[in-house]
Amino acid sequence: MSSKSYLEINNSGLEAVHNHSENAQLRQIVEQRFSRRSLLQSMIGATAVSFMGVNLIACGSNRNSGGQGDGPQIPGQLPEPPPSAFKMNFRAIPTSRADTISVPEGYSWAPLAPWGTPITGSYPYYLSDGRGTGKDALEQIGQCHDGMHFFPIAGSSEHGILAINHEYIEPNLLHANGPSINANGMRPRDEVLKEMASHGVSIVEVKRSALGGANWEVVQSAYNRRVTALTDMEITGPARGHTKLKTKFSATGTHARGTLNNCSSGPTPWGTYLTAEENWAGYFANQDASMPREHARYDVETQNGRYSWELAEPALDHDISRRFDASSKGASAQEDYRNEPNHFGWMVEIDPFDPSSTPKKRTSLGRFGHEGVVFAKAEIGKPIVCYSGDDSRYEYIYKFISKTVYQEGMKGDDLLNEGTLYVAKFNAIGKGQWLALDLNDSEFAAKVEAAKGTKVGTIDFDGFSDQGDVLINTRLAADIAGATKMDRPEWGAICPRTGRVYFTLTNNTKRKFEEQDAANPRANNSTGHIIRWLEREDHRFDWDIFLLAGGTTGDMVGRMLPGKSNEQALTADNILSCPDGVYFDAAGGIWIQTDMSGSMQDGGDHAGDFGNNQLLLANPETGEMKRFLTGPTDCEITGISMTPDRKTMFVNVQHPGDRSTPSQFTSHFPTNDGLSRPRCTTVVISRDDGGIIGD
Ligand code: FEO
Ligand code: CA
Ligand code: CA
Ligand code: CA
């Protein structure tokens, strides 16, 4: 086994630093050389933000000097829209360490579709002792629920299809006695099959039950479907058929098997589901003496994959398990799986209303650790625009603009196969620009030429063969373009009232003092922040910081709307850490979900201030924010969606009791009987008087 045995894996293994490029330093050199004034401006900007919470109220005093017009700006200067009629008529709940869901008075919750729920085929029962087989798992809800969307059936708010991501697995809970390795150092075949089947996406029809309220149930339905790490998929877009996508399975580089580590997701304007492949790289191992950049820049393992699937014994048919060994074993790429990791790191489109459809990997949206995707409102006659973050320390935020303009009836094949991928550069003065990652863009092409023959990070760069190569190596392309290295971009959401785009930056405890910049203003950023921007003409944008997450004391004091006239400190009603999921309801309320590590919930730097992970609702204009939900022990609160009438909310509870051993469970959610193994589950929330959630 590798030195990093999968038996020892925990979530910290998902936060490696993969970006060793030197964008910030390069940018400083350029600025010193060409513009001492702009360097001075950037330093002023950075300093101002560094001391946020101490002196930025003063910055707010000239907040009308910037706006969307020309002239100098500092972060905190986005124009203020007219106040909304937005209300938050519930009492904030306190933080909690209880092993249950808490919601405000007047609200109720109920679990729906926990891991193991039968949804298709022979509808195999969930076995509470963990003895379910791999075959069972192929017909049941997967584990580790994350991104999710409710697709109404015929516009109903009581009946629809839930698409649920299953990000990864908890091997200690998935198997009756935890994961095992036999005397030969190999993995039992059925354990590997069960693990692969418990990944991916569940498509499941649901409806409100006869009990009413928050009680919903799974429907036995022809829509129900499991998409797993084994499902056949088509590769579309500019990288389709690329040399670097050819494998023994797909000699033409046009088909892939499965989707992995599906973190967040997003509905498309045409009613399909895009699921993100986030921390897929660790599933693969490449033992070759040197790794290609398509593996190295993403941190493919050097000895064994995260769960050692390549060691299944006997191996699964058709190389389904052996493909996780990406070492060069054959005479050519078509005779082995050296290119298998290149089939991952994409956004995958699934039509929830067509269970026989083949999921499509959309290479136009780039290859990285996709957290999720958020689409701007589709407008007839205009291109489609969407955003996606790369959740790893010092990675980037991307934007895609379709080549085709949107017309009614258009779908993914019309809109997502061609377009331009951009990456964000946040300048210190509250302005930013989108940098095209396109060999037809003269600026990018010049940077690529200039970088040839140099080292970009740890990679000896010798150019890109074509646009498919650029997209397969999206991170490297963004390094060369000079994008801003962010504090782990997670979800994005777009305000329906103002069009502002919000992105969570969950944390980055590696950021050093000298690496602070205006958009990532805190060294050792253990509590994260939320950035937002407003698009301008010519691929430019104005941005500011919406929230510095944190507590009421210590190094990481929380501030809402820093630098604005209504800047305010967080209080017991709304302290939070590690924002991750973010979602706008139709009224313009912003829902924020947190994903603190277990050790932070235990205290760490923050003496347990934050309690278990939580969900809060904020008014983006006034900065008022209230805690709405707290989750059970050691879970993450993620995946959020609402019915069209906003009277039902769906939230996911991921990895409750994730520090359990096979014999000792640290949570018993959702049964709370003191005995059962914890199960990841969707939670349904409703108001006891049948009203709108949060209103
Ligand atoms: Fe899977 Fe970035 O959270
Ligand atoms: Ca997660
Ligand atoms: Ca996440
Ligand atoms: Ca997270």
Side-chain angles (χ1 to χ4, degrees):
M1 295 296 294
S2 76
S3 56
K4 193 170 160 192
S5 155
Y6 90 105
L7 296 171
E8 299 161 15
I9 287 291
N10 56 40
N11 281 340
S12 66
L14 305 179
E15 297 180 9
V17 178
H18 314 300
N19 191 351
H20 303 285
S21 69
E22 297 175 332
N23 288 353
Q25 290 88 332
L26 281 175
R27 187 168 65 237
Q28 276 183 347
I29 291 163
V30 170
E31 283 175 325
Q32 277 165 351
R33 191 173 297 166
F34 297 111
S35 172
R36 297 187 58 149
R37 184 166 167 271
S38 76
L39 177 64
L40 186 64
Q41 281 179 331
S42 77
M43 287 173 67
I44 290 168
T47 305
V49 184
S50 298
F51 293 99
M52 237 167 228
V54 176
N55 65 353
L56 267 202
I57 291 177
C59 299
S61 63
N62 63 352
R63 65 195 158 84
N64 294 323
S65 66
Q68 285 186 73
D70 295 322
Q73 279 196 323
I74 57 166
Q77 301 302 304
L78 284 191
E80 290 181 11
S84 67
F86 181 67
K87 298 181 294 218
M88 287 196 281
N89 288 330
F90 64 90
R91 185 171 297 170
I93 60 167
T95 58
S96 167
R97 293 290 282 154
D99 186 27
T100 190
I101 293 275
S102 301
V103 287
E105 203 181 319
Y107 286 84
S108 297
W109 67 275
L112 172 67
W115 156 56
T117 303
I119 61 165
T120 185
S122 61
Y123 288 82
Y125 287 118
Y126 166 74
L127 299 178
S128 60
D129 58 5
R131 282 185 301 107
T133 65
K135 184 173 174 299
D136 292 346
L138 288 165
E139 299 177 342
Q140 296 171 331
I141 295 279
Q143 214 179 29
C144 291
H145 301 37
D146 207 306
M148 168 172 61
H149 189 73
F150 176 80
F151 294 90
I153 291 178
S156 175
S157 286
E158 314 231 317
H159 183 199
I161 295 174
L162 271 184
I164 306 169
N165 279 1
H166 303 294
E167 184 178 14
Y168 65 106
I169 51 161
E170 294 283 356
N172 278 344
L173 298 169
L174 189 77
H175 305 295
N177 300 305
S180 62
I181 296 172
N182 68 24
N184 301 328
M186 307 294 273
R187 301 278 335 270
R189 182 182 211 262
D190 198 62
E191 282 189 14
V192 171
L193 179 61
K194 187 175 182 183
E195 292 172 12
M196 289 187 187
S198 301
H199 278 74
V201 178
S202 292
I203 308 290
V204 57
E205 185 175 329
V206 294
K207 67 173 190 194
R208 193 190 298 274
S209 80
L211 293 170
N215 299 289
W216 284 54
E217 62 193 13
V218 164
V219 178
Q220 293 203 357
S221 160
Y223 287 130
N224 294 357
R225 176 182 194 184
R226 280 304 321 282
V227 172
T228 70
L230 302 113
T231 306
D232 276 7
M233 310 208 162
E234 191 179 345
I235 298 171
T236 70
R240 176 182 168 88
H242 198 278
T243 311
K244 291 177 180 173
L245 298 185
K246 293 180 177 171
T247 67
K248 190 174 165 192
F249 169 72
S250 180
T252 53
T254 54
H255 285 79
R257 286 182 291 190
T259 184
L260 287 172
N261 212 269
N262 302 81
C263 192
S264 182
S265 56
T268 64
W270 48 95
T272 62
Y273 185 71
L274 272 181
T275 180
E277 298 181 334
E278 189 193 15
N279 290 302
W280 48 271
Y283 289 69
F284 297 92
N286 180 342
Q287 298 187 4
D288 290 349
S290 73
M291 259 194 216
R293 61 197 190 185
E294 296 81 24
H295 299 185
R297 183 64 179 81
Y298 298 87
D299 231 15
V300 164
E301 296 290 338
T302 53
Q303 296 191 47
N304 288 108
R306 179 177 302 156
Y307 304 117
S308 295
W309 287 346
E310 69 281 6
L311 298 180
E313 185 181 74
L316 274 74
D317 304 337
H318 311 297
D319 296 335
I320 283 168
S321 49
R322 289 201 176 113
R323 67 187 160 125
F324 290 92
D325 180 350
S327 314
S328 302
K329 291 181 177 308
S332 73
Q334 278 102 327
E335 291 174 46
D336 59 26
Y337 291 97
R338 69 186 70 174
N339 286 335
E340 185 72 7
N342 305 346
H343 287 189
F344 294 84
W346 307 107
M347 294 295 315
V348 182
E349 185 174 10
I350 300 170
D351 183 349
F353 291 96
D354 182 359
S356 65
S357 59
T358 302
K360 292 180 176 173
K361 299 211 171 189
R362 299 293 187 191
T363 66
S364 55
L365 272 56
R367 176 172 174 262
F368 44 92
H370 279 281
E371 172 71 20
V373 67
V374 59
F375 282 81
K377 191 166 180 278
E379 292 183 59
I380 302 285
K382 293 190 176 170
I384 288 289
V385 176
C386 62
Y387 303 89
S388 185
D390 184 352
D391 178 13
S392 203
R393 296 187 186 111
Y394 304 111
E395 295 298 342
Y396 307 122
I397 296 174
Y398 297 86
K399 169 182 179 174
F400 171 79
I401 303 182
S402 68
K403 183 177 176 190
T404 310
V405 297
Y406 180 65
Q407 303 294 347
E408 215 166 314
M410 279 189 170
K411 296 189 169 180
D413 284 343
D414 307 305
L415 296 158
L416 295 183
N417 282 344
E418 284 186 276
T420 306
L421 189 66
Y422 297 83
V423 67
K425 182 180 179 192
F426 292 84
N427 295 318
I429 52 171
K431 292 189 179 294
Q433 66 194 104
W434 293 106
L435 309 171
L437 305 178
D438 183 347
L439 291 171
N440 290 320
D441 179 272
S442 56
E443 231 175 89
F444 180 65
K447 287 175 186 168
V448 168
E449 276 310 308
K452 273 187 193 166
T454 71
K455 236 181 169 44
V456 180
T458 55
I459 293 165
D460 292 315
F461 182 63
D462 59 357
F464 293 116
S465 59
D466 48 40
Q467 188 59 25
D469 198 20
V470 170
L471 292 166
I472 292 167
N473 290 285
T474 301
R475 282 182 172 174
L476 180 60
D479 295 338
I480 290 165
T484 302
K485 296 176 177 185
M486 309 300 287
D487 285 348
R488 297 188 53 203
E490 297 251 23
W491 293 39
I494 300 180
C495 177
R497 295 184 61 246
T498 64
R500 291 175 182 180
V501 188
Y502 290 66
F503 255 78
T504 52
L505 297 160
T506 197
N507 61 56
N508 181 358
T509 50
K510 295 280 192 241
R511 190 174 287 272
K512 300 187 188 80
F513 182 80
E514 62 273 21
E515 293 173 333
Q516 294 172 113
D517 59 32
N520 301 277
R522 296 193 288 192
N524 184 27
N525 183 8
S526 58
T527 55
H529 57 291
I530 297 181
I531 201 164
R532 62 180 182 177
W533 62 86
L534 196 57
E535 296 289 354
R536 299 178 61 197
E537 300 289 306
D538 302 327
H539 304 297
R540 298 197 174 256
F541 58 89
D542 294 333
W543 65 271
D544 65 7
I545 288 175
F546 173 61
L547 167 71
L548 292 170
T552 53
T553 58
D555 292 344
M556 294 285 153
V557 172
R559 313 289 301 181
M560 179 60 89
L561 294 166
K564 306 292 272 188
S565 58
N566 46 4
E567 173 175 353
Q568 54 212 274
L570 301 191
T571 69
D573 282 350
N574 57 23
I575 54 169
L576 79 160
S577 179
C578 306
D580 188 332
V582 66
Y583 172 85
F584 269 99
D585 64 34
I590 182 170
W591 297 82
I592 301 166
Q593 301 177 304
T594 70
D595 177 20
M596 290 176 283
S597 65
S599 61
M600 181 173 272
Q601 293 168 60
D602 267 353
D605 298 344
H606 302 279
D609 280 349
F610 300 114
N612 294 350
N613 277 307
Q614 51 179 284
L615 167 67
L616 308 97
L617 174 61
N619 179 327
E621 274 88 50
T622 65
E624 185 188 10
M625 178 162 67
K626 292 181 183 178
R627 188 175 301 105
F628 179 80
L629 175 150
T630 56
T633 303
D634 286 349
C635 82
E636 169 187 346
I637 295 297
T638 183
I640 178 166
S641 191
M642 288 175 112
T643 51
D645 65 4
R646 293 165 48 216
K647 293 179 176 175
T648 301
M649 172 180 272
F650 305 92
V651 168
N652 276 332
V653 172
Q654 188 186 70
H655 64 75
D658 76 344
R659 288 184 277 186
S660 296
T661 66
S663 57
Q664 194 162 22
F665 306 137
T666 58
S667 163
H668 304 285
F669 189 78
T671 55
N672 295 17
D673 58 1
L675 290 170
S676 298
R677 64 184 56 218
R679 296 166 78 184
C680 306
T681 187
T682 299
V683 162
V684 187
I685 298 148
S686 70
R687 227 169 88 175
D688 298 341
D689 65 2
I692 291 171
I693 307 282
D695 196 33

